[in-house]
Amino acid sequence: MSPVLDTAFIPPRDREEVVRNAVWESMVAVDIDHGPPAEDISVRIGLGNVGPIRICSARATAVTLRRTEQLARKDEEPAVTLGVQMTGSSMVVQNGRECLLRPGEFAVYESIAPYTHVFSKGVDYRFVRFPRAALALPDRVLRDSTAVPLGPDNTVSRLAFTYFSQLAVTDELHQGVHADAAVQPSIELLRAVLTSRHGTDSLAKEPLEATLSLRITQYIQAHLAEPDLSATRIAAAHNISVRHLYAVLSRSGISLGDWIRARRLAECRRELAGRNGQLRTIAAIGRSWGFVDPTHFSKVFKQTYGLTPRTWRDQNHPRAST
């Protein structure tokens, strides 16, 4: 996501007001207390939308955000914000709970109740704001889920961290048909996180099933380079049968073998054309992405791209080929 606000280009006397207006208009009304004096305030934020979902990716100096009772009472569109901690740490306080977020963790908080969010050592954070009604969850589930650290100890939360941290900065998903396609999976994934954590089987079943295809493809992408990646292993990782795995992917128009091979080839193609593409042998690059047979790798690469891996590399590194 490209920054739309950078206080480096704003006079110090105007920085607090400009930041406040941007946050209020694009995300949520909060009191903002900056740690450093005006001349040392540094805020760099990118803003975007994925349908009704609002996104803010932020880097800033120390700041405290307060959603007061007065502001919460004036809420015209109740929302649930998912906050993703990229580096550093922050503290979220709401509904009588407080949680310390570390890198790789996230939390949710509601706009209809007061909250405080403290970034005492600076901000490296991504805010993803959902209309509360779109989640269609009972008040009790949402209330009990606020200010609770969610992270890598849970499979669904681990996927959600990766997904939402990338959604916030992937411009292609913020417009047109790509945005339309991302709205419902994003909502269902957050529903899956909250309901599975809450332990309500009847509520969790639907969003978990709705996000199964997404969770499977994310798992495959994360293990793409491993040569033992197989349908059996993928199915076991998601506690489903191989038959169910193929059925789920089929509904999404995905052929498992073709999907894996296409993405492995794309990674090989990228690496061969990259800055260090000539530092390793073509066979080694193929092996690193699961192609254990160099002859087979060259054959499928040429079938897909119309030229051999060597020709492709030489085109992108002309000096190395002379």
Side-chain angles (χ1 to χ4, degrees):
M1 178 186 297
S2 300
V4 297
L5 185 153
D6 190 338
T7 55
F9 303 100
I10 300 171
R13 66 179 181 276
D14 298 329
R15 289 176 182 173
E16 291 189 34
E17 182 179 358
V18 169
V19 171
R20 177 184 178 276
N21 289 341
V23 173
W24 279 48
E25 291 176 6
S26 61
M27 295 298 291
V28 66
V30 288
D31 288 341
I32 304 175
D33 297 328
H34 294 274
E39 61 271 19
D40 295 327
I41 290 174
S42 174
V43 177
R44 184 179 175 90
I45 62 175
L47 301 168
N49 289 74
V50 179
I53 302 169
R54 300 183 187 180
I55 295 170
C56 175
S57 178
R59 287 179 177 270
T61 44
V63 68
T64 297
L65 310 177
R66 292 188 177 89
R67 177 80 168 166
T68 65
E69 287 192 26
Q70 182 179 9
L71 291 172
R73 284 198 301 269
K74 293 181 179 179
D75 201 4
E76 296 179 358
E77 183 190 13
V80 173
T81 298
L82 180 150
V84 183
Q85 190 74 45
M86 302 306 298
T87 63
S89 62
S90 66
M91 178 73 73
V92 181
V93 181
Q94 189 173 50
N95 291 329
R97 289 185 297 275
E98 63 178 44
C99 72
L100 176 66
L101 292 180
R102 299 180 177 84
E105 296 180 328
F106 61 93
V108 297
Y109 31 99
E110 296 186 274
S111 65
I112 61 173
Y115 65 77
T116 301
H117 203 158
V118 182
F119 299 89
S120 59
K121 295 184 179 180
V123 181
D124 185 3
Y125 205 76
R126 292 169 189 171
F127 303 84
V128 186
R129 182 179 184 270
F130 295 81
R132 195 174 190 272
L135 294 172
L137 289 172
D139 291 345
R140 175 177 54 87
V141 171
L142 289 173
R143 185 176 61 252
D144 291 349
S145 299
T146 58
V148 174
L150 302 165
D153 57 331
N154 177 278
T155 301
V156 181
S157 296
R158 188 164 59 246
L159 165 65
F161 176 86
T162 301
Y163 176 81
F164 287 116
S165 62
Q166 289 302 309
L167 179 71
V169 295
T170 305
D171 289 338
E172 293 85 353
L173 293 177
H174 301 167
Q175 51 195 312
V177 65
H178 299 295
D180 294 339
V183 171
Q184 199 57 36
S186 301
I187 291 171
E188 292 296 342
L189 181 55
L190 181 54
R191 278 171 49 84
V193 170
L194 300 182
T195 54
S196 62
R197 177 202 165 272
H198 201 265
T200 308
D201 293 342
S202 59
L203 288 174
K205 184 177 180 180
E206 180 181 344
L208 284 172
E209 182 66 24
T211 60
L212 184 54
S213 178
L214 173 65
R215 289 187 282 124
I216 288 169
T217 53
Q218 287 278 352
Y219 177 87
I220 294 171
Q221 194 69 42
H223 298 276
L224 198 59
E226 299 167 17
D228 65 340
L229 186 64
S230 66
T232 301
R233 176 180 163 187
I234 297 165
H238 294 85
N239 297 313
I240 59 175
S241 68
V242 172
R243 182 178 180 180
H244 190 190
L245 169 70
Y246 282 114
V248 169
L249 294 179
S250 178
R251 289 196 294 269
S252 299
I254 295 173
S255 170
L256 181 60
D258 292 344
W259 198 89
I260 292 175
R261 182 169 57 252
R263 276 149 185 80
R264 283 176 168 173
L265 285 171
E267 292 294 341
C268 291
R269 186 172 185 263
R270 176 190 57 78
E271 193 165 334
L272 286 165
R275 181 185 305 175
N276 299 320
Q278 71 274 40
L279 299 182
R280 291 198 297 162
T281 66
I282 290 171
I285 290 174
R287 280 196 302 272
S288 69
W289 290 103
F291 293 101
V292 295
D293 183 343
T295 302
H296 174 69
F297 170 52
S298 294
K299 180 180 178 180
V300 295
F301 191 99
K302 186 175 182 180
Q303 287 174 343
T304 302
Y305 299 116
L307 69 173
T308 66
R310 184 173 302 280
T311 301
W312 169 251
R313 183 174 68 175
D314 289 348
Q315 286 183 359
N316 288 275
H317 301 281
R319 292 182 182 179
S321 63
T322 59

